[in-house]
Every structure is written in C-alpha cells, then in structure tokens.
Amino acid sequence: MKIAMLGSGFIARFYADSLAAQRRKDTLISVYSRSAERAEKFANDYGLPHYSNRMTEVIEHPEVDVVVIALSNDLHLGAVEACARAGKHVLCTKPLGRTGEEAKKMMEMVEKAGIMGGYLEDLCYTPKFLKSLSSVKSGSIGRVLWAKSRETHPGPHSDWFWNIEQSGGGAIVDLGCHCIEIARNFIGKDIKPVEVMCWAATQVHPIAAEDHAIGLVKYANGVIGQFEVSWCFRGGMDLRDEVMGSEGTIWLNNFLRTGFEMFTTGKGGNYVAEKAESTSGWLFPVGDEVHELGYSHMFTDMFESIEQKREPLENFYDGYVVNCIIDAAYRSAKSRNWEPVQLDVWRGRTDVTEGHEFTSYDNDYYLIKEEILPNGEKKLILKHKVTGEVVRRDL
Ligand SMILES: NC(=O)c1ccc[n+]([C@@H]2O[C@H](COP(=O)([O-])OP(=O)(O)OC[C@H]3O[C@@H](n4cnc5c(N)ncnc54)[C@H](O)[C@@H]3O)[C@@H](O)[C@H]2O)c1
C-alpha cells in the first residue's frame, strides 16, 4: 500500500513511526500539513518523496492508495468527504466525529463511494487487548457482566483540544471514545447499547468542556460498560481495563505498570513515555510504544482488510456507534438521568433481552455459593427452584 498522511502533529508522527518500523512493506509517500514548512520537515524526517500544504493534492496524488486522517476533530468530516470524492480508502483517527451525526455522514460517504473506512482505535489492537478479547470470546471468563475501561492523564498537548468547537467536547469525546469501544468489544459488538448515565464536571481547567467524567453504558443484555476519563490525573497516563465474568476476571494495565520500572536522578533527561510527567525519580517507561499501544496490529489489520476486501476489526460503523454513545453521555451529564442511545442505524442483534442464567445444583436446587471455611468445613448454599427457600447443606 502507498499511504498519505493528513496532518503532521502528535498522532501523525506516532502513526508514521509505526508505519516505518520493522521493515513494513506499506510505505508512507506523502504528507499534508497546512504549513508548508511543517510538511517539508515531516517529509524529510520520514524520507517521503512528496508533501504539500494543499490537502486535495495529497489525497489525489495518483500513487496514493490509502489516506490516514491525523487532523484535529473538526477536520475529520471534510477530509473523509475529500477521500470519498477521490475514491481513496480512508483510515481516520479517533473520535470519528464530534457527534453521532457527523460520524453517520462519514460512514455513509465511504459506503456510498465503495471505499474502506477504517477506524483507527489503537487501544482495541494492543497485544494485551487482543489476547484478552480472544480469551473472553472462547469463554474463559464465562458470561461478561461488567467491562470497565479507564483513561486519565494530565490533559492534551495542543490548543484545539481545549476549544469545544474544534474538539466537540472534553475528556469524554477525547478519551471516552477509547474506553467505550474497549468495553463494547468485551461485551459484544452485536449487543445494542441502550442507555447511558454519566457524571461530568470541569474541576481544574478554565474551559467550556468537561475535564473529568464517569459513565455507565447499559447494554440490551443487562451488561454494564463503565468509562472513567480525566484530563486532571497527575502522574502520567493511566490506561487500565477490567472485565468481570461469571467464571473469571481480567485486569489489564497498559501503561504505568507494564513490568518496566526505572529509577534515575534525571541525568539523561530522555523521553520516557506518552504524557509522562517526569524524567527523574521512579519512572514507568514503555518498551516499544507504537507496538504496545496497538498501532502495529492496527495498521496490519487495516491494510490486510483493504487487500482482502473485508472489513477491519474497527470500522466507521464502530466509530459511529461510539459517537452515539458519547452523545447520550453528554445528554445524561446535563439531564442527570439515564438517556437512551439514539442509533438510527443498528446492525447488531435485535433479539437480546436481559436474561438470568442461574447455575443448577440438581433438579430441585440452584447453587448460590460453595464455601470452604478456615477450619476446613465445606458447605453449600442452595435455593429451591420452586419454593424459593434458601438452605444450607454441609458436605
Ligand atoms: N491514541 C490515539 O488514537 C490518538 C492520540 C492522540 C490524538 N489522536 C487524534 O488525532 C487527531 C489529531 O490529534 P493530535 O494529537 O495529533 O493533535 P496535534 O495538534 O498534534 O496535530 C493536529 C494536526 O492537525 C492540524 N490542524 C489543526 N488545525 C488545522 C486547521 N485549521 N487546518 C489544517 N490543519 C489543522 C495541525 O497542523 C496538525 O498537523 C485528533 O483527532 C485526536 O483525537 C488520536
């Protein structure tokens, strides 16, 4: 694949590092930046033969097969529109839109143009995430009951994030999009998210948007997704996921505790990891950041999907569902009520209800609990299926 990058900022460089790593066969050949100097610098840094400060020139470059959008949130829609017009496959960073309405337009544009719309949700491609998802899918933790994801850090690095018109919101739209999609994968993408309860506040920064929020997303099968997001957290970037199942548990720590801890007086002063707040004392570096953050697996899936004419694991429809959940979160934070997720387009199951599956002990009883006491005594707590009587049975 020959790739063009739109944007030359923070995530564009992360993407470019990932595309240049490990002798990949897919090559970045062009970059757009509104500043010709920054475009040239980016092209020189990554050895690209072409650059421009005109977006359409880069998208329409005859050798470009696929375009990566790494622009501020307000520019995603226009960039997707230009790719659809040019008939070029498009991979868009998160969040897909500032609202569900914007995301829906983008989804419809790529589908109408017959191009692939890949949603660059890297945190659904980390090696830890992919392995834990396959464990969940194979039944290792039983029925998923609750999936929580947390992303908190001291706040974004560019001015536009802090401007609600350009960003579309604060920590919920910026970080909640990751957490919501992580939980949605664990719960099952075919299960409809039905309603959201969200608390949001502006606790630290003088901005119009929220810098801290916690939300619950209820799914049609009664399972709960939870997101915790903040731009107020001090101490680096905290990326943790937790899944509770009827037969097991998963805890993932993606960033601050990866098994790599280092102490330094600060002599070297080197880069430690994304959003690290210190270069001395005890530090938590991340080995191969582009790999551990999922970029390598993400781009592999995207390019293979284009070649094999299949959908990637994360596509524009997923981005649209996430945006609709975020819209409901904003409505809930305002109304202080559970708010329905308004999905005009639903492609998952419609036959799901909140069910209860109790474990049978025998024909007459359900098993509530099996217990071993400190003195070695073993007992069962059972419930009669008809009378409802709860009894103890010693073993
Ligand atoms: N893990 C992730 O997936 C991840 C991480 C960070 C950012 N992002 C997303 O990537 C996108 C860019 O964020 P970033 O962190 O790289 O920001 P950034 O500020 O570092 O870069 C933004 C890019 O957009 C360009 N831009 C901004 N306003 C423009 C305008 N009016 N006209 C033309 N170009 C303009 C800037 O020049 C720059 O090239 C956002 O959508 C953000 O949510 C994703």
Side-chain angles (χ1 to χ4, degrees), residues 7-11 15 32 34 38 70-73 75-76 93-95 120 122 157-158 160-161 174 178 295:
S8 59
F10 175 85
I11 200 66
Y15 289 163
Y32 153 77
R34 66 188 148 159
R38 280 201 298 274
L71 298 165
S72 52
N73 299 352
L75 301 178
H76 295 183
T93 193
K94 65 81 204 167
L120 298 180
D122 57 299
H157 44 271
S158 283
W160 67 262
F161 283 94
D174 181 36
H178 289 300
Y295 300 114

mmCIF file of all heavy atoms in Angstrom, residues 7-11 15 32 34 38 70-73 75-76 93-95 120 122 157-158 160-161 174 178 295, ligand 1:
data_model
loop_
_atom_site.group_PDB
_atom_site.id
_atom_site.type_symbol
_atom_site.label_atom_id
_atom_site.label_comp_id
_atom_site.label_asym_id
_atom_site.label_seq_id
_atom_site.Cartn_x
_atom_site.Cartn_y
_atom_site.Cartn_z
ATOM 1 N N GLY A 7 -1.971 15.666 8.169
ATOM 2 C CA GLY A 7 -1.590 16.155 9.496
ATOM 3 C C GLY A 7 -0.145 15.784 9.754
ATOM 4 O O GLY A 7 0.351 14.753 9.253
ATOM 5 N N SER A 8 0.520 16.645 10.535
ATOM 6 C CA SER A 8 1.937 16.383 10.815
ATOM 7 C C SER A 8 2.217 16.557 12.307
ATOM 8 O O SER A 8 3.338 16.829 12.704
ATOM 9 C CB SER A 8 2.799 17.354 10.011
ATOM 10 O OG SER A 8 2.453 18.688 10.376
ATOM 11 N N GLY A 9 1.162 16.434 13.118
ATOM 12 C CA GLY A 9 1.312 16.679 14.556
ATOM 13 C C GLY A 9 1.634 15.413 15.327
ATOM 14 O O GLY A 9 2.269 14.481 14.821
ATOM 15 N N PHE A 10 1.149 15.387 16.550
ATOM 16 C CA PHE A 10 1.478 14.348 17.520
ATOM 17 C C PHE A 10 1.144 12.937 17.022
ATOM 18 O O PHE A 10 1.990 12.062 16.927
ATOM 19 C CB PHE A 10 0.697 14.679 18.800
ATOM 20 C CG PHE A 10 0.811 13.673 19.888
ATOM 21 C CD1 PHE A 10 1.874 13.713 20.778
ATOM 22 C CD2 PHE A 10 -0.160 12.699 20.058
ATOM 23 C CE1 PHE A 10 1.960 12.789 21.805
ATOM 24 C CE2 PHE A 10 -0.073 11.776 21.078
ATOM 25 C CZ PHE A 10 0.990 11.823 21.953
ATOM 26 N N ILE A 11 -0.138 12.726 16.643
ATOM 27 C CA ILE A 11 -0.525 11.355 16.284
ATOM 28 C C ILE A 11 -0.004 10.986 14.905
ATOM 29 O O ILE A 11 0.318 9.821 14.639
ATOM 30 C CB ILE A 11 -2.058 11.130 16.405
ATOM 31 C CG1 ILE A 11 -2.385 9.628 16.517
ATOM 32 C CG2 ILE A 11 -2.823 11.728 15.243
ATOM 33 C CD1 ILE A 11 -1.888 8.979 17.761
ATOM 34 N N TYR A 15 1.864 7.533 14.159
ATOM 35 C CA TYR A 15 1.466 6.654 13.045
ATOM 36 C C TYR A 15 2.653 6.415 12.103
ATOM 37 O O TYR A 15 2.905 5.300 11.669
ATOM 38 C CB TYR A 15 0.302 7.271 12.257
ATOM 39 C CG TYR A 15 -1.042 7.286 12.956
ATOM 40 C CD1 TYR A 15 -2.062 8.118 12.508
ATOM 41 C CD2 TYR A 15 -1.319 6.462 14.053
ATOM 42 C CE1 TYR A 15 -3.310 8.142 13.123
ATOM 43 C CE2 TYR A 15 -2.559 6.485 14.674
ATOM 44 C CZ TYR A 15 -3.553 7.326 14.213
ATOM 45 O OH TYR A 15 -4.784 7.350 14.822
ATOM 46 N N TYR A 32 0.302 15.876 4.158
ATOM 47 C CA TYR A 32 -0.292 17.215 4.070
ATOM 48 C C TYR A 32 -0.166 17.886 5.426
ATOM 49 O O TYR A 32 -0.430 17.273 6.468
ATOM 50 C CB TYR A 32 -1.788 17.118 3.708
ATOM 51 C CG TYR A 32 -2.567 18.319 4.222
ATOM 52 C CD1 TYR A 32 -2.494 19.551 3.562
ATOM 53 C CD2 TYR A 32 -3.341 18.236 5.386
ATOM 54 C CE1 TYR A 32 -3.180 20.666 4.061
ATOM 55 C CE2 TYR A 32 -4.029 19.344 5.880
ATOM 56 C CZ TYR A 32 -3.941 20.556 5.214
ATOM 57 O OH TYR A 32 -4.600 21.650 5.702
ATOM 58 N N ARG A 34 -1.024 22.118 6.888
ATOM 59 C CA ARG A 34 -1.406 23.450 6.394
ATOM 60 C C ARG A 34 -0.192 24.363 6.315
ATOM 61 O O ARG A 34 -0.184 25.356 5.609
ATOM 62 C CB ARG A 34 -2.494 24.054 7.283
ATOM 63 C CG ARG A 34 -2.031 24.345 8.678
ATOM 64 C CD ARG A 34 -3.126 24.753 9.589
ATOM 65 N NE ARG A 34 -2.783 24.280 10.924
ATOM 66 C CZ ARG A 34 -3.262 24.753 12.035
ATOM 67 N NH1 ARG A 34 -4.164 25.702 12.005
ATOM 68 N NH2 ARG A 34 -2.884 24.284 13.200
ATOM 69 N N ARG A 38 6.161 22.739 7.885
ATOM 70 C CA ARG A 38 5.985 21.528 8.705
ATOM 71 C C ARG A 38 5.819 20.287 7.820
ATOM 72 O O ARG A 38 6.301 19.213 8.150
ATOM 73 C CB ARG A 38 4.806 21.679 9.662
ATOM 74 C CG ARG A 38 5.163 22.491 10.916
ATOM 75 C CD ARG A 38 4.194 22.205 12.058
ATOM 76 N NE ARG A 38 2.832 22.584 11.719
ATOM 77 C CZ ARG A 38 2.311 23.812 11.882
ATOM 78 N NH1 ARG A 38 3.058 24.770 12.410
ATOM 79 N NH2 ARG A 38 1.071 24.073 11.549
ATOM 80 N N ALA A 70 -5.081 12.360 10.391
ATOM 81 C CA ALA A 70 -4.485 12.627 11.711
ATOM 82 C C ALA A 70 -4.622 14.120 12.015
ATOM 83 O O ALA A 70 -3.669 14.780 12.432
ATOM 84 C CB ALA A 70 -3.021 12.183 11.716
ATOM 85 N N LEU A 71 -5.821 14.636 11.752
ATOM 86 C CA LEU A 71 -6.109 16.067 11.922
ATOM 87 C C LEU A 71 -6.994 16.292 13.141
ATOM 88 O O LEU A 71 -7.632 15.349 13.630
ATOM 89 C CB LEU A 71 -6.844 16.575 10.681
ATOM 90 C CG LEU A 71 -6.075 16.484 9.358
ATOM 91 C CD1 LEU A 71 -7.033 16.653 8.176
ATOM 92 C CD2 LEU A 71 -4.962 17.536 9.300
ATOM 93 N N SER A 72 -7.118 17.543 13.555
ATOM 94 C CA SER A 72 -7.993 17.862 14.687
ATOM 95 C C SER A 72 -9.420 17.397 14.375
ATOM 96 O O SER A 72 -9.821 17.289 13.206
ATOM 97 C CB SER A 72 -7.929 19.359 14.979
ATOM 98 O OG SER A 72 -8.175 20.092 13.801
ATOM 99 N N ASN A 73 -10.225 17.171 15.433
ATOM 100 C CA ASN A 73 -11.535 16.529 15.281
ATOM 101 C C ASN A 73 -12.471 17.249 14.302
ATOM 102 O O ASN A 73 -13.253 16.619 13.592
ATOM 103 C CB ASN A 73 -12.232 16.434 16.645
ATOM 104 C CG ASN A 73 -11.447 15.591 17.635
ATOM 105 O OD1 ASN A 73 -10.460 14.950 17.268
ATOM 106 N ND2 ASN A 73 -11.879 15.577 18.884
ATOM 107 N N LEU A 75 -11.847 18.590 11.592
ATOM 108 C CA LEU A 75 -11.476 18.459 10.174
ATOM 109 C C LEU A 75 -11.706 17.049 9.634
ATOM 110 O O LEU A 75 -11.476 16.789 8.450
ATOM 111 C CB LEU A 75 -10.001 18.848 9.999
ATOM 112 C CG LEU A 75 -9.647 20.280 10.436
ATOM 113 C CD1 LEU A 75 -8.157 20.541 10.265
ATOM 114 C CD2 LEU A 75 -10.448 21.303 9.640
ATOM 115 N N HIS A 76 -12.153 16.124 10.484
ATOM 116 C CA HIS A 76 -12.317 14.738 10.023
ATOM 117 C C HIS A 76 -13.361 14.630 8.903
ATOM 118 O O HIS A 76 -13.140 13.968 7.895
ATOM 119 C CB HIS A 76 -12.700 13.813 11.187
ATOM 120 C CG HIS A 76 -11.628 13.676 12.233
ATOM 121 N ND1 HIS A 76 -11.757 12.851 13.330
ATOM 122 C CD2 HIS A 76 -10.410 14.262 12.365
ATOM 123 C CE1 HIS A 76 -10.668 12.942 14.082
ATOM 124 N NE2 HIS A 76 -9.842 13.796 13.520
ATOM 125 N N THR A 93 -8.460 8.672 12.457
ATOM 126 C CA THR A 93 -8.168 8.563 13.879
ATOM 127 C C THR A 93 -9.437 8.736 14.705
ATOM 128 O O THR A 93 -10.498 9.085 14.190
ATOM 129 C CB THR A 93 -7.083 9.588 14.280
ATOM 130 O OG1 THR A 93 -6.596 9.263 15.595
ATOM 131 C CG2 THR A 93 -7.632 11.011 14.288
ATOM 132 N N LYS A 94 -9.321 8.509 15.989
ATOM 133 C CA LYS A 94 -10.472 8.666 16.895
ATOM 134 C C LYS A 94 -10.564 10.104 17.385
ATOM 135 O O LYS A 94 -9.527 10.767 17.418
ATOM 136 C CB LYS A 94 -10.346 7.702 18.072
ATOM 137 C CG LYS A 94 -9.125 7.999 18.991
ATOM 138 C CD LYS A 94 -9.367 9.094 19.982
ATOM 139 C CE LYS A 94 -8.184 9.791 20.473
ATOM 140 N NZ LYS A 94 -8.440 11.033 21.196
ATOM 141 N N PRO A 95 -11.686 10.602 17.835
ATOM 142 C CA PRO A 95 -13.021 10.068 17.607
ATOM 143 C C PRO A 95 -13.368 10.258 16.143
ATOM 144 O O PRO A 95 -12.874 11.200 15.509
ATOM 145 C CB PRO A 95 -13.892 10.956 18.501
ATOM 146 C CG PRO A 95 -13.177 12.275 18.503
ATOM 147 C CD PRO A 95 -11.719 11.954 18.450
ATOM 148 N N LEU A 120 -9.349 4.153 13.377
ATOM 149 C CA LEU A 120 -8.041 3.884 13.997
ATOM 150 C C LEU A 120 -8.133 3.913 15.527
ATOM 151 O O LEU A 120 -7.634 4.825 16.187
ATOM 152 C CB LEU A 120 -7.008 4.884 13.464
ATOM 153 C CG LEU A 120 -6.771 4.781 11.949
ATOM 154 C CD1 LEU A 120 -5.727 5.796 11.493
ATOM 155 C CD2 LEU A 120 -6.338 3.371 11.548
ATOM 156 N N ASP A 122 -6.673 2.451 18.227
ATOM 157 C CA ASP A 122 -5.480 1.646 18.523
ATOM 158 C C ASP A 122 -5.607 0.804 19.787
ATOM 159 O O ASP A 122 -5.051 -0.293 19.868
ATOM 160 C CB ASP A 122 -4.243 2.549 18.631
ATOM 161 C CG ASP A 122 -4.394 3.634 19.687
ATOM 162 O OD1 ASP A 122 -5.304 4.468 19.549
ATOM 163 O OD2 ASP A 122 -3.614 3.643 20.651
ATOM 164 N N HIS A 157 -2.070 17.965 24.575
ATOM 165 C CA HIS A 157 -0.877 18.765 24.279
ATOM 166 C C HIS A 157 -1.121 19.932 23.325
ATOM 167 O O HIS A 157 -0.238 20.738 23.126
ATOM 168 C CB HIS A 157 0.169 17.822 23.668
ATOM 169 C CG HIS A 157 -0.467 16.915 22.657
ATOM 170 N ND1 HIS A 157 -1.004 15.696 23.008
ATOM 171 C CD2 HIS A 157 -0.757 17.093 21.357
ATOM 172 C CE1 HIS A 157 -1.574 15.157 21.946
ATOM 173 N NE2 HIS A 157 -1.434 15.978 20.932
ATOM 174 N N SER A 158 -2.289 19.998 22.651
ATOM 175 C CA SER A 158 -2.493 21.074 21.660
ATOM 176 C C SER A 158 -3.689 21.936 22.025
ATOM 177 O O SER A 158 -4.677 21.452 22.590
ATOM 178 C CB SER A 158 -2.747 20.498 20.264
ATOM 179 O OG SER A 158 -1.549 20.062 19.699
ATOM 180 N N TRP A 160 -6.174 23.172 20.289
ATOM 181 C CA TRP A 160 -7.513 22.911 19.724
ATOM 182 C C TRP A 160 -8.325 21.937 20.587
ATOM 183 O O TRP A 160 -9.554 22.021 20.602
ATOM 184 C CB TRP A 160 -7.404 22.424 18.267
ATOM 185 C CG TRP A 160 -6.770 21.070 18.115
ATOM 186 C CD1 TRP A 160 -5.467 20.802 17.805
ATOM 187 C CD2 TRP A 160 -7.413 19.803 18.297
ATOM 188 N NE1 TRP A 160 -5.252 19.441 17.806
ATOM 189 C CE2 TRP A 160 -6.436 18.815 18.091
ATOM 190 C CE3 TRP A 160 -8.705 19.406 18.617
ATOM 191 C CZ2 TRP A 160 -6.703 17.450 18.200
ATOM 192 C CZ3 TRP A 160 -8.972 18.047 18.726
ATOM 193 C CH2 TRP A 160 -7.989 17.084 18.523
ATOM 194 N N PHE A 161 -7.662 21.020 21.323
ATOM 195 C CA PHE A 161 -8.395 20.075 22.182
ATOM 196 C C PHE A 161 -9.226 20.829 23.222
ATOM 197 O O PHE A 161 -10.259 20.368 23.672
ATOM 198 C CB PHE A 161 -7.431 19.172 22.971
ATOM 199 C CG PHE A 161 -6.788 18.051 22.203
ATOM 200 C CD1 PHE A 161 -5.547 18.206 21.614
ATOM 201 C CD2 PHE A 161 -7.404 16.808 22.113
ATOM 202 C CE1 PHE A 161 -4.930 17.156 20.948
ATOM 203 C CE2 PHE A 161 -6.803 15.759 21.453
ATOM 204 C CZ PHE A 161 -5.558 15.932 20.870
ATOM 205 N N ASP A 174 -12.730 12.895 23.900
ATOM 206 C CA ASP A 174 -11.312 12.634 23.618
ATOM 207 C C ASP A 174 -10.884 11.247 24.101
ATOM 208 O O ASP A 174 -10.243 10.502 23.361
ATOM 209 C CB ASP A 174 -10.460 13.725 24.297
ATOM 210 C CG ASP A 174 -8.976 13.547 24.031
ATOM 211 O OD1 ASP A 174 -8.620 13.131 22.915
ATOM 212 O OD2 ASP A 174 -8.163 13.809 24.945
ATOM 213 N N HIS A 178 -12.154 5.827 23.445
ATOM 214 C CA HIS A 178 -11.344 4.599 23.603
ATOM 215 C C HIS A 178 -12.041 3.640 24.566
ATOM 216 O O HIS A 178 -12.210 2.458 24.278
ATOM 217 C CB HIS A 178 -9.979 4.925 24.229
ATOM 218 C CG HIS A 178 -9.024 5.658 23.343
ATOM 219 N ND1 HIS A 178 -8.584 5.163 22.148
ATOM 220 C CD2 HIS A 178 -8.377 6.836 23.520
ATOM 221 C CE1 HIS A 178 -7.713 6.009 21.613
ATOM 222 N NE2 HIS A 178 -7.579 7.035 22.423
ATOM 223 N N TYR A 295 -0.634 0.251 17.617
ATOM 224 C CA TYR A 295 -0.564 0.784 16.253
ATOM 225 C C TYR A 295 -0.117 -0.258 15.223
ATOM 226 O O TYR A 295 -0.608 -0.275 14.096
ATOM 227 C CB TYR A 295 0.382 1.999 16.184
ATOM 228 C CG TYR A 295 -0.037 3.138 17.078
ATOM 229 C CD1 TYR A 295 0.730 3.532 18.164
ATOM 230 C CD2 TYR A 295 -1.230 3.820 16.844
ATOM 231 C CE1 TYR A 295 0.326 4.562 18.993
ATOM 232 C CE2 TYR A 295 -1.641 4.859 17.666
ATOM 233 C CZ TYR A 295 -0.854 5.219 18.742
ATOM 234 O OH TYR A 295 -1.255 6.235 19.557
HETATM 235 N N1 LIG B 1 -4.387 7.234 20.508
HETATM 236 C C1 LIG B 1 -4.928 7.880 19.524
HETATM 237 O O1 LIG B 1 -5.562 7.260 18.707
HETATM 238 C C2 LIG B 1 -4.782 9.377 19.420
HETATM 239 C C3 LIG B 1 -3.871 10.054 20.230
HETATM 240 C C4 LIG B 1 -3.768 11.453 20.092
HETATM 241 C C5 LIG B 1 -4.570 12.119 19.180
HETATM 242 N N2 LIG B 1 -5.473 11.420 18.412
HETATM 243 C C6 LIG B 1 -6.378 12.098 17.470
HETATM 244 O O2 LIG B 1 -5.586 12.575 16.379
HETATM 245 C C7 LIG B 1 -6.124 13.805 15.894
HETATM 246 C C8 LIG B 1 -5.013 14.844 15.922
HETATM 247 O O3 LIG B 1 -4.536 15.000 17.240
HETATM 248 P P1 LIG B 1 -3.008 15.323 17.570
HETATM 249 O O4 LIG B 1 -2.786 14.865 18.947
HETATM 250 O O5 LIG B 1 -2.110 14.797 16.511
HETATM 251 O O6 LIG B 1 -3.046 16.889 17.515
HETATM 252 P P2 LIG B 1 -1.923 17.874 17.016
HETATM 253 O O7 LIG B 1 -2.371 19.223 17.409
HETATM 254 O O8 LIG B 1 -0.573 17.425 17.451
HETATM 255 O O9 LIG B 1 -1.984 17.729 15.433
HETATM 256 C C9 LIG B 1 -3.123 18.163 14.730
HETATM 257 C C10 LIG B 1 -2.847 18.298 13.262
HETATM 258 O O10 LIG B 1 -3.970 18.938 12.673
HETATM 259 C C11 LIG B 1 -3.536 20.120 12.001
HETATM 260 N N3 LIG B 1 -4.540 21.179 12.062
HETATM 261 C C12 LIG B 1 -5.112 21.694 13.184
HETATM 262 N N4 LIG B 1 -5.964 22.670 12.832
HETATM 263 C C13 LIG B 1 -5.919 22.775 11.484
HETATM 264 C C14 LIG B 1 -6.578 23.581 10.528
HETATM 265 N N5 LIG B 1 -7.466 24.503 10.909
HETATM 266 N N6 LIG B 1 -6.300 23.390 9.226
HETATM 267 C C15 LIG B 1 -5.440 22.445 8.843
HETATM 268 N N7 LIG B 1 -4.785 21.645 9.695
HETATM 269 C C16 LIG B 1 -5.020 21.809 11.001
HETATM 270 C C17 LIG B 1 -2.274 20.541 12.730
HETATM 271 O O11 LIG B 1 -1.476 21.353 11.944
HETATM 272 C C18 LIG B 1 -1.623 19.167 12.986
HETATM 273 O O12 LIG B 1 -0.962 18.706 11.848
HETATM 274 C C19 LIG B 1 -7.315 14.133 16.786
HETATM 275 O O13 LIG B 1 -8.494 13.706 16.165
HETATM 276 C C20 LIG B 1 -7.062 13.324 18.049
HETATM 277 O O14 LIG B 1 -8.241 12.968 18.740
HETATM 278 C C21 LIG B 1 -5.566 10.065 18.499
#
